[in-house]
Amino acid sequence: MPRVLVVGGTGLAGRAVTAEAVARGPDVVVASRRVPDDDAPGYVTGAAYVTADLVSGAGLEEAVDGADVLIDASNGTGRRAAHVFATGAMNLVQTAARFGVQRSVLLSIAGIDDSRYPYYRAKLAQERVHLDSALDARIVRATQFHDFVTAIFERGRRFGALTAPSGTRFQPIAIADVARVLVDAAEGAGEANGIVTIGGPRVESARSLAQQWREASGTRRPVVPVRLGGALGAAWRAGRNLAPEHALDGTGYAAWLTAGD
Ligand SMILES: NC(=O)c1ccc[n+]([C@@H]2O[C@H](COP(=O)([O-])OP(=O)(O)OC[C@H]3O[C@@H](n4cnc5c(N)ncnc54)[C@H](OP(=O)(O)O)[C@@H]3O)[C@@H](O)[C@H]2O)c1
């Protein structure tokens, strides 16, 4: 197992990646702007934690020093997304190359090509930075996480409802399954400078998934269809978020709801 740096390893996906990497080998470093307490949820025993800021570059040299491969599971929201994904990625790959890191593995999103949605455009720019770098870059594009679609349904909580985007299907995937593919890529699986897409085991309507969450959570709130506007809503209604030909035989939504994993 190579020495692995997990950038954004305190985040939702990053924590699963860190746990998977630690299960396979002892040399795992996590970099993020804040280091969690060792009793915080999601803290992975066995990983070393360092502070680094992709955008300012502070702490990056210390973070990449000694790593063979980096896995980038960072994220940004709102206007900061473009900074984290473009400026941050550039700082990261350039610093990594200077310190002899050989490979980068980037977590990206299925179906982001040709989108007008600003977040997806920022992800494409981030991919491009990794692919154009001096590193052996491997991009793993995943469909929406189980946690993410659940969060969409829960946006209706303040209206006393579960909100399900109308005319939309998802192929949600467990972050543990995504983490396995990312760490496989870190170990050299797949092609150098390649893009792979992975999806959850099943394509289901947002409404059906919301009903499953309703039953599992025991809420009595009704499932209410909402029309999602903008470029994202249009892309999802067109099914651009789906990758049935790349379905993994992993944990489906119903099983994830039961296992909570
Ligand atoms: N949600 C989905 O369904 C889905 C599907 C496919 C792919 N993805 C991709 O998966 C990636 C991870 O998403 P997530 O939901 O797991 O993210 P998240 O929970 O928001 O975690 C983001 C991580 O990035 C770190 N971070 C943010 N800004 C940083 C900076 N300037 N410097 C260093 N670290 C920084 C955060 O730690 P600090 O805040 O402490 O710095 C945290 O560790 C994203 O790129 C997303 O596009 C998501």
Side-chain angles (χ1 to χ4, degrees):
M1 180 70 183
R3 290 168 297 180
V4 180
L5 170 68
V6 186
V7 181
T10 58
L12 178 64
R15 294 196 296 263
V17 171
T18 304
E20 179 67 25
V22 165
R24 296 196 203 183
D27 289 321
V28 180
V29 175
V30 169
S32 60
R33 289 168 301 173
R34 287 171 294 270
V35 169
D37 293 334
D38 59 8
D39 58 354
Y43 179 91
V44 178
T45 303
Y49 286 81
V50 299
T51 53
D53 188 332
L54 290 169
V55 177
S56 73
L60 264 189
E61 293 190 345
E62 293 79 0
V64 300
D65 193 9
D68 301 309
V69 49
L70 67 87
I71 301 176
D72 187 351
S74 63
N75 199 8
T77 51
R79 287 188 178 177
R80 282 197 63 77
H83 286 299
V84 176
F85 291 150
T87 315
M90 188 64 81
N91 287 338
L92 176 63
V93 296
Q94 287 184 347
T95 310
R98 271 198 290 119
F99 277 74
V101 177
Q102 283 152 25
R103 179 177 298 143
S104 71
V105 178
L106 172 64
L107 174 54
S108 191
I109 306 173
I112 59 174
D113 288 316
D114 305 319
S115 177
R116 288 182 294 109
Y117 182 48
Y119 181 86
Y120 283 3
R121 293 170 68 101
K123 286 297 291 183
L124 265 186
Q126 184 194 33
E127 288 187 354
R128 186 42 52 205
V129 169
H130 278 258
L131 290 170
D132 288 346
S133 75
L135 307 176
D136 158 9
R138 291 154 196 246
I139 313 294
V140 176
R141 291 180 170 180
T143 54
Q144 283 68 46
F145 306 150
H146 293 323
D147 319 69
F148 181 73
V149 299
T150 304
I152 293 172
F153 306 148
E154 281 298 321
R155 279 184 201 156
R157 177 180 282 275
R158 60 200 158 120
F159 312 115
L162 295 173
T163 42
S166 56
T168 300
R169 292 171 298 156
F170 291 113
Q171 189 184 342
I173 189 167
I175 52 172
D177 291 326
V178 175
R180 269 190 287 280
V181 174
L182 288 166
V183 179
D184 286 348
E187 290 184 308
E191 281 178 29
N193 296 307
I195 300 180
V196 297
T197 299
I198 55 171
R202 267 179 302 285
V203 174
E204 295 180 80
S205 70
R207 182 170 189 82
S208 162
L209 291 161
Q211 291 286 7
Q212 292 172 50
W213 167 241
R214 184 175 191 269
E215 278 161 38
S217 65
T219 178
R220 300 173 72 151
R221 286 177 280 144
V223 175
V224 175
V226 289
R227 186 173 170 82
L228 197 61
L232 183 63
W236 283 0
R237 279 189 296 280
R240 297 184 64 96
N241 57 320
L242 307 174
E245 67 282 21
H246 299 297
L248 284 191
D249 185 20
T251 304
Y253 191 65
W256 176 80
L257 286 174
T258 308
D261 165 358

